[in-house]
Amino acid sequence: MQPVSRRSILQHSAQFAAGLFLARNSIACVRSQALPDVSTITTGPKFHWFGYYDKQQFDSTNTKVLSNQVSFEHRTPVPTDKVSVGYIDIANQNRWTEVGQSTAWGWQQGCMLQWRPASVAEVTARGQEVVWNDRTDDGYVCRIKNINTAAERILPRPIYTLSGDGTFALSADFARIQRMRPGYGYVGRQSDCHQNKAPEDAGIWKMDMETGESKLIFSLADAAAIDHQGQSLKGKWNYFNHLLMSPDSTRFIVLHRWRNSTTDGPNSEPTGRFYTRMFTVNADGSDRYILDPDGHTSHFIWRDSNQVCAWTKPKGKPSAFYVFTDQSRQVTPVGEGVMTLNGHNTYVPETNWEWILNDTYPDRKTRAQSPYLYHVPSNRRVELGHFHLPKKYSGEWRCDTHPRCSNDGQTVCIDSPHLGDGRQLHLIKIGDIIDAL
């Protein structure tokens, strides 16, 4: 009889724990269906993860899966810590290919690693390009690497989100973000306006992805000048976070956040919790609209170029997922009684917005994180697995599953340390589930 591997024991233990989890929980979802198989595509001793859920992790062929790679966990990165970036070729025995390195990264969003979007014809003509943020002596930058020709370019600003055709990017102040909410920005530099609560020369920059030419299109001073429900924000510590272009690249979302100040003097520091409101803005910075003014916006995704699905708490309503119609006060709940907890939500491609991919934070008793599918027309939920998160993965260096879908809507990739090898990448096939319902 062949010996049983430690990985096999851990996989069976995870499946047993998932069975206990299902037995204890009774909600309106598809519980009779067996959990889909999970395949692990990275291994130790190094640790692998992708990070945020709204970036393009799969290439245009859905065979190359981007990943960060690092040699440590469970602490804040210091300026000298390098992360390797590369891809796993799942059509070639999960072979790892390094593309580059970065010293501008964090545990939650990595270094904004992603494929540069392009049409099939453009990819054929120019080759596949990977983009990520890095730090040089001059500051934070964006690197673009062509994996077919090995040609590499450096653009003068870091990126936050790319347009749907990959022609331009939006950039934010990552040093300021790090000061306001450690783990979401980058260490290694101070913001150019470190002591300014609402600077006129910092905010959202639009950058041409070919030339690097950039323009400030929405300053923090502009945002702070708009009162929040009658309250002035000019004395608060203002910052921008979580930018995302609409599918047609005409408008973008940005979360405007602020924290209180310890004093009114020159030595003031940000203090206390952050507050939030969600803007939608034209790609040139014009026509700014506060889509969610109530201060509770969390995870969100564009449903289409006119609607946004977000976890929030509108005035007079419970915390839940809602669909907002842009530039209107039209708000509709989604997933009532089923998507009852905050998670990292996206729409599954090629399903006409009928399927939402989401997850949960760790269950308080089992520490299980649960990615799942939600079928909008039938209000049904399909579990994709329950992955144990050890307690040492907490705070800034926690490991959310952050489920991300392939471009054809057939495969989900998650980050998880449930097998005991630290954070690694795992694939879940969902095509049969979608076809069956």
Side-chain angles (χ1 to χ4, degrees):
M1 184 174 70
Q2 293 183 342
V4 179
S5 69
R6 178 174 178 269
R7 178 177 289 268
S8 177
I9 292 172
L10 287 167
Q11 287 174 329
H12 285 292
S13 298
Q15 292 169 356
F16 178 72
L20 292 178
F21 183 92
L22 292 176
R24 281 197 297 265
N25 290 269
S26 176
I27 64 175
C29 59
V30 180
R31 295 298 194 187
S32 59
Q33 183 175 351
L35 294 173
D37 291 337
V38 179
S39 60
T40 302
I41 61 172
T42 59
T43 59
K46 292 189 176 180
F47 310 110
H48 302 84
W49 86 107
F50 182 70
Y52 232 46
Y53 63 100
D54 57 4
K55 304 290 182 282
Q56 188 171 331
Q57 183 183 16
F58 289 78
D59 78 326
S60 58
T61 68
N62 297 302
T63 61
K64 295 180 179 66
V65 183
L66 290 173
S67 177
N68 305 290
Q69 178 180 270
V70 75
S71 59
F72 69 91
E73 293 185 295
H74 312 306
R75 66 169 173 83
T76 300
V78 298
T80 55
D81 284 327
K82 291 184 178 180
V83 61
S84 296
V85 298
Y87 61 87
I88 301 96
D89 188 344
I90 59 176
N92 190 11
Q93 299 180 328
N94 296 332
R95 186 181 66 183
W96 163 262
T97 299
E98 183 172 310
V99 174
Q101 294 184 328
S102 173
T103 56
W105 62 279
W107 290 112
Q108 296 309 303
Q109 296 177 309
C111 53
M112 297 297 177
L113 175 67
Q114 57 196 287
W115 296 98
R116 184 182 178 192
S119 66
V120 173
E122 288 171 327
V123 168
T124 301
R126 77 185 186 200
Q128 294 174 295
E129 291 184 322
V130 178
V131 300
W132 71 96
N133 291 338
D134 196 6
R135 178 167 50 86
T136 67
D137 291 340
D138 295 325
Y140 298 125
V141 298
C142 170
R143 294 186 184 271
I144 305 177
K145 181 75 171 282
N146 190 312
I147 67 169
N148 302 105
T149 66
E152 183 174 329
R153 296 184 291 123
I154 299 179
L155 300 183
R157 293 189 181 277
I159 62 167
Y160 207 116
T161 183
L162 292 174
S163 62
D165 60 4
T167 60
F168 68 89
L170 300 180
S171 178
D173 188 337
F174 286 93
R176 191 176 186 89
I177 294 171
Q178 179 67 15
R179 187 182 185 203
M180 298 300 172
R181 194 182 182 194
Y184 286 82
Y186 306 145
V187 300
R189 290 184 63 87
Q190 282 195 352
S191 172
D192 291 337
C193 48
H194 197 63
Q195 288 298 327
N196 197 327
K197 296 175 184 175
E200 296 181 354
D201 56 350
I204 299 170
W205 295 75
K206 183 178 180 181
M207 180 173 67
D208 188 294
M209 289 298 287
E210 289 297 329
T211 66
E213 181 181 355
S214 62
K215 178 182 179 181
L216 181 65
I217 61 172
F218 190 14
S219 74
L220 286 166
D222 292 338
I226 304 172
D227 288 353
H228 173 64
Q229 300 176 348
Q231 175 192 28
S232 173
L233 301 179
K234 293 182 180 180
K236 310 293 184 182
W237 285 95
N238 292 262
Y239 68 108
F240 287 135
N241 205 353
H242 299 302
L243 284 67
L244 187 62
M245 289 300 310
S246 64
D248 65 1
S249 302
T250 61
R251 287 179 69 76
F252 65 88
I253 291 170
V254 59
L255 297 189
H256 173 214
R257 286 179 164 164
W258 60 92
R259 296 174 62 189
N260 289 325
S261 178
T262 53
T263 69
D264 293 330
N267 297 319
S268 66
E269 295 289 338
T271 186
R273 54 159 291 192
F274 61 79
Y275 299 84
T276 303
R277 60 184 177 183
M278 178 168 65
F279 277 88
T280 57
V281 186
N282 280 346
D284 64 358
S286 65
D287 204 5
R288 300 156 186 167
Y289 185 81
I290 302 176
L291 187 60
D292 185 6
D294 293 307
H296 302 284
T297 316
S298 183
H299 302 110
F300 60 84
I301 199 73
W302 287 95
R303 177 190 180 275
D304 52 43
S305 294
N306 192 48
Q307 293 185 309
V308 176
C309 179
W311 177 271
T312 186
K313 186 180 181 181
K315 186 176 182 179
K317 300 178 184 293
S319 295
F321 282 102
Y322 294 88
V323 172
F324 292 77
T325 298
D326 193 15
Q327 296 180 286
S328 80
R329 296 272 65 98
Q330 183 177 336
V331 182
T332 306
V334 62
E336 289 184 284
V338 179
M339 291 204 304
T340 57
L341 299 173
N342 192 3
H344 305 95
N345 58 309
T346 55
Y347 284 86
V348 177
E350 307 297 329
T351 65
N352 197 32
W353 307 299
E354 290 189 354
W355 287 91
I356 293 174
L357 174 64
N358 204 356
D359 69 350
T360 68
Y361 286 106
D363 178 81
R364 291 184 179 181
K365 292 183 179 180
T366 67
R367 296 285 299 171
Q369 299 187 116
S370 302
Y372 64 89
L373 293 169
Y374 170 70
H375 189 232
V376 178
S378 65
N379 196 38
R380 301 176 74 186
R381 172 170 159 171
V382 183
E383 301 293 333
L384 299 181
H386 308 286
F387 302 92
H388 179 72
L389 184 71
K391 288 185 178 181
K392 59 185 177 180
Y393 291 90
S394 62
E396 178 186 336
W397 45 81
R398 67 187 182 277
C399 185
D400 302 332
T401 62
H402 285 153
R404 299 145 322 247
C405 213
S406 58
N407 303 298
D408 58 5
Q410 297 293 299
T411 306
V412 168
C413 184
I414 65 169
D415 305 330
S416 176
H418 66 281
L419 293 180
D421 293 339
R423 62 191 74 209
Q424 303 293 345
L425 297 185
H426 313 271
L427 299 185
I428 307 170
K429 296 291 186 180
I430 62 171
D432 290 344
I433 296 173
I434 290 175
D435 293 341
L437 194 61

